[in-house]
Amino acid sequence: MSFYKSLGLSYPLIQAPMAGIQGSAMAIACSETGVLGSLPCAMLNAEKLEEELVTINTATSKPINVNFFAHEDPAPNASRDVKWRETLAPYFQEVGLNSAEVKAGPGRAPFSSEMADVLEKFKPEVVSFHFGLPSSELLQRARSWGARILSSATTVEEAIVLSDQGVDAVIAQGLEAGGHRGHFLSDDISKQLGIFSLLPQIKQAIDLPVIAAGGIASPREVKAMLELGADMLQVGTSYMLCDEASTTFLHRKALKSSDAQHTALTNLFSGRPARGIVNRLMRELGPISDLAPEFPLAGGLIGPLKTAAEEQGIHDFSSLWAGQNTTGCKEISAVDMTKWLVSEI
């Protein structure tokens, strides 16, 4: 039996979890269509996670994927934090804020025992991770109720490590993909490959189902990835204009403009490389900067700056996440988007 059918799905497609872009509404709509809907959990606390899972379980009995980050929180670095605040000070002043008085907002949290406690009540069918895997103890808790475990690999070496750690499938995240890179063995982004190079090499290196992600934005690309050997596909960017997405007005405007043709990897918004539409902050500071504190600390100060600027209709300091291929973005329902994506399978 194919991997996707073993999950109880009608089609070999995963709606990519997109933190800050979607919640339960998107996951429900996609799962009801016969693909694997996903709930991004890295920006949720335990109370909000439980609320979202109650909503999902009330609306659908179809399989669901819950996605978490598996990073380790960095040690505080006061001198680096001060320098970052000084770097952003002129921008704070532009939007009417005093950088010395701005308090850093919350960052993204890694998978924890508290989150596992919540999941245990609902027993989601799939638990996926980004930035490697959590501790063996936490991983075993997710496995204890029969959940399938997925994680992202940006290199062949990462795929082999994940395979050795007993995941059920590997997500091959091509360099084209939007949002955060899932790398965990090396910070050298020059080692990361586009999906047409990465997918066949991972397929050759491991004996597990491989899920292709990055640059897949139409039925033709879905078909092409399956013909290249992918067991499933993961699509995110194309869903960002859908009715169920919580994509902001300014982000939607950028996705519909010619600006979306120019994306780059940047660590400015969180401290970790992620692909987004190039804007003023990326141009002026450089998309990758040694000034940005480690993930997720950089985002603590960017958050208040972004909020203040967006209230004035400015996206200069917003993380406009997007993959290299935005041609599939349509202002339609997630159900219609899903049906279109799988129409040539």
Side-chain angles (χ1 to χ4, degrees):
M1 181 185 293
S2 62
F3 182 65
Y4 78 91
K5 288 184 178 177
S6 76
L7 293 175
L9 306 176
S10 302
Y11 304 100
L13 181 69
I14 300 174
Q15 165 256 312
M18 299 177 285
I21 301 296
Q22 52 109 171
S24 56
M26 176 79 75
I28 292 165
C30 292
S31 283
E32 280 291 292
T33 316
V35 303
L36 187 62
S38 301
L39 179 71
C41 305
M43 297 176 70
L44 305 180
N45 58 28
E47 182 180 3
K48 184 62 177 176
L49 173 61
E50 182 158 0
E51 181 182 314
E52 287 280 68
L53 289 174
V54 167
T55 299
I56 290 171
N57 276 22
T58 301
T60 183
S61 59
K62 299 292 182 65
I64 196 76
N65 167 38
V66 291
N67 176 259
F68 293 88
F69 289 172
H71 64 284
E72 294 184 8
D73 285 325
N77 186 325
S79 61
R80 195 170 183 180
D81 291 344
V82 168
K83 186 171 290 188
W84 185 232
R85 190 177 289 267
E86 291 173 348
T87 300
L88 297 179
Y91 300 123
F92 277 111
Q93 187 174 12
E94 281 186 36
V95 298
L97 297 177
N98 183 339
S99 62
E101 297 176 354
V102 173
K103 294 182 178 180
R108 295 166 174 84
F111 188 56
S112 65
S113 57
E114 185 181 20
M115 291 304 212
D117 288 342
V118 176
L119 293 187
E120 205 157 11
K121 301 175 186 178
F122 298 90
K123 298 179 172 52
E125 293 80 3
V126 178
V127 181
S128 63
F129 296 98
H130 216 47
F131 315 140
L133 291 168
S135 69
S136 57
E137 179 184 355
L138 285 174
L139 201 56
Q140 183 53 41
R141 289 198 62 186
R143 288 193 175 112
S144 68
W145 63 78
R148 303 291 188 91
I149 306 298
L150 315 180
S151 189
S152 300
T154 64
T155 64
V156 174
E157 291 77 13
E158 288 176 346
I160 292 171
V161 168
L162 293 175
S163 176
D164 290 344
Q165 291 180 311
V167 300
D168 294 286
V170 169
I171 301 166
Q173 188 191 29
L175 197 57
E176 305 92 337
H180 283 93
R181 304 301 301 155
H183 61 268
F184 58 91
L185 290 183
S186 170
D187 292 331
D188 184 353
I189 57 179
S190 71
K191 293 183 177 181
Q192 298 177 24
L193 306 174
I195 192 59
F196 278 92
S197 295
L198 183 63
L199 173 63
Q201 291 186 63
I202 289 181
K203 286 288 293 183
Q204 186 174 11
I206 65 173
D207 188 24
L208 285 176
V210 181
I211 299 155
I216 304 166
S218 76
R220 291 179 64 188
E221 285 135 19
V222 167
K223 186 176 181 180
M225 283 295 107
L226 292 173
E227 290 178 350
L228 195 61
D231 296 276
M232 292 185 69
L233 303 310
Q234 181 168 280
V235 178
T237 298
S238 291
Y239 283 100
M240 292 176 69
L241 292 183
C242 287
D243 303 337
E244 295 85 351
S246 53
T247 315
T248 65
F249 171 78
L250 291 174
H251 198 164
R252 288 174 181 268
K253 184 177 179 181
L255 285 166
K256 292 186 285 185
S257 74
S258 59
D259 291 345
Q261 296 173 15
H262 185 194
T263 67
L265 295 179
T266 179
N267 67 340
L268 298 177
F269 300 104
S270 71
R272 191 177 181 99
R275 183 172 297 284
I277 298 170
V278 174
N279 61 5
R280 179 186 166 197
L281 190 71
M282 293 165 69
R283 288 191 296 269
E284 293 185 359
L285 297 185
I288 300 293
S289 173
D290 291 337
L291 295 170
E294 289 185 74
F295 179 89
L297 301 178
L301 283 180
I302 289 290
L305 176 60
K306 169 187 173 180
T307 298
E310 288 186 349
E311 288 174 352
Q312 299 172 37
I314 301 167
H315 67 50
D316 291 347
F317 315 111
S318 300
S319 50
L320 305 172
W321 302 141
Q324 287 184 324
N325 188 354
T326 60
T327 58
C329 293
K330 301 177 187 293
E331 294 177 287
I332 57 178
S333 71
V335 169
D336 288 341
M337 173 59 71
T338 303
K339 289 179 178 179
W340 176 65
L341 287 169
V342 301
S343 61
E344 294 188 13
I345 296 177

